[in-house]
Amino acid sequence: MFAQNGTVLTAAAVLALVAAGAPAMAEWKPDKPINIIVPWSAGGSTDQVTRVVAPILEEALGTPIVIVNQPGASGSIGTKAALDAPRDGYTWTANAIANNATYSVTGMIEGTSINDYYVMLHVANVPVVSVNADRPYKDFGEFLEAMKTGDVKIGTAGVNSSGGMAMAAIKEAAGGADLTARMVTYDGGNPAVLAAASGEVDATTQLATEQTEMIKAGKLRSLAVLSDKELVVEGLDPIPPVTQWLPEMPVAPDYFGVFIPVGAPAEVYETVGKAWEEKVMTSAAMQAYASERGAVFDPSVGDAAMAKAMPVVIAEACARVTRGEAVIDPSEIGITCPAE
């Protein structure tokens, strides 16, 4: 968990007795399928990576794992369904950690925070600004100028999606009101990317993992990655960093993972955490996925996962305040924004 200044106190409090030296807990042996609710449509970044990690956990735990796509309202509908399910260890969710941490800040799910989950992270994803291959923009600088005309339409999975937050961050870094490009919202990253590839919209700011196939197929042209380093994807030319044009723009990797709502028996977290550490964190399949899709394989679990995630959690929660999107102050869920 984290304190008022956003620093880690102790993640995975459900394992506190073990950390304090209590006798080892019994191994959890699930006797029915586990559901992972993906709160986005099939084919998007969360869906993709969850379908890679699920078979690894199936084998480790000895039970089927069912992916349930439940999109809507920038991922909040499926996330709330996972939180409302019985806390017996059989209903999990998957998402970008920043989403789960900011749903209450934007009023999408009342009274929730990242403290509601046992956190397991696998990859860090970065948004990429790409345009339809037939559009005239040759680099991000040209596209940035076009965003000031009001004629540009950008497809995302909603304001709380990685693409929506990327678009808002670009506007903020580049002058806010001067950029009048219009966001067109879809039910997930995959349909947003397909809309850009087909020319229904001019561009997309969704994650690299969602775009690589369309970029490789020549349907999209990547202009910049929201990072301070170029992005190298197998089979593509390096994508230049957005800081080449916006040098002061703050960037932080967006960590994705699988989250188990707290409140289940402690042995659930003990068993699944061990499986994550031994199987997922050493998985060749996960490493290959990251290399091919433009993600960074950077797995962690428990305290380490919470510490790794906090920079993007704090950045996104506080950006909601700056952009006027917050309905509660982040301090109400334990996050204090940096002083201006």
Side-chain angles (χ1 to χ4, degrees):
M1 310 306 171
F2 48 88
Q4 290 289 323
N5 62 2
T7 57
V8 174
L9 291 178
T10 170
V14 291
L15 302 179
L17 290 176
V18 173
M25 297 178 186
E27 181 181 3
W28 181 51
K29 298 185 183 298
D31 57 8
K32 61 181 181 180
I34 293 166
N35 290 328
I36 302 181
I37 296 178
V38 172
W40 306 97
S41 62
S45 55
T46 306
D47 183 71
Q48 287 176 15
V49 71
T50 306
R51 291 182 187 277
V52 177
V53 77
I56 302 169
L57 291 170
E58 269 190 346
E59 182 176 356
L61 299 174
T63 195
I65 293 181
V66 180
I67 308 297
V68 181
N69 293 94
Q70 195 169 348
S74 292
S76 63
I77 291 176
T79 302
K80 188 174 188 305
L83 290 171
D84 289 344
R87 303 293 179 95
D88 55 8
Y90 289 95
T91 302
W92 309 350
T93 188
N95 211 337
I97 191 78
N99 290 336
N100 292 65
T102 58
Y103 281 131
S104 63
V105 174
T106 54
M108 290 185 171
I109 304 177
E110 186 176 349
T112 187
S113 77
I114 200 57
N115 292 335
D116 290 331
Y117 305 96
Y118 179 70
V119 175
M120 302 174 289
L121 304 178
H122 38 52
V123 299
N125 282 323
V126 284
V128 167
V129 180
S130 294
V131 296
N132 178 273
D134 293 331
R135 298 304 191 267
Y137 319 112
K138 296 300 187 290
D139 62 30
F140 181 71
E142 286 188 11
F143 184 66
L144 203 56
E145 287 301 310
M147 289 177 70
K148 298 176 182 178
T149 67
D151 297 327
V152 172
K153 294 185 292 184
I154 300 177
T156 80
V159 293
N160 210 58
S161 70
S162 297
M165 290 189 284
M167 185 174 170
I170 290 168
K171 284 189 173 184
E172 185 176 342
D178 290 341
L179 300 188
T180 54
R182 183 161 63 91
M183 182 166 66
V184 181
T185 299
Y186 295 86
D187 276 341
N190 189 50
V193 169
L194 291 177
S198 69
E200 183 177 308
V201 294
D202 300 292
T204 184
T205 51
Q206 287 296 132
L207 296 167
T209 52
E210 296 166 318
Q211 298 190 41
T212 48
E213 287 186 0
M214 291 295 105
I215 297 171
K216 290 178 179 179
K219 302 293 185 181
L220 292 176
R221 184 169 62 257
S222 56
L223 302 181
V225 57
L226 268 68
S227 173
D228 57 0
K229 301 178 182 65
E230 67 179 18
L231 177 65
V232 178
V233 181
E234 190 176 300
L236 294 176
D237 292 335
I239 302 172
V242 71
T243 50
Q244 183 174 318
W245 293 272
L246 298 171
E248 301 302 317
M249 182 173 177
V251 290
D254 196 0
Y255 281 95
F256 279 60
V258 176
F259 316 125
I260 309 176
V262 300
E267 57 265 28
V268 170
Y269 310 101
E270 173 84 351
T271 301
V272 180
K274 182 179 179 183
W276 193 270
E277 185 172 351
E278 293 180 353
K279 301 297 183 181
V280 175
M281 292 174 64
T282 60
S283 169
M286 292 294 298
Q287 294 177 54
Y289 166 84
S291 175
E292 292 167 3
R293 293 284 184 166
V296 177
F297 183 58
D298 192 13
S300 55
V301 63
D303 288 351
M306 190 67 79
K308 194 170 287 186
M310 284 313 300
V312 72
V313 166
I314 294 170
E316 292 301 339
C318 298
R320 301 299 192 181
V321 177
T322 302
R323 298 196 291 261
E325 299 167 359
V327 299
I328 69 165
D329 191 279
S331 63
E332 295 187 30
I333 58 168
I335 297 174
T336 297
C337 296
E340 294 294 336

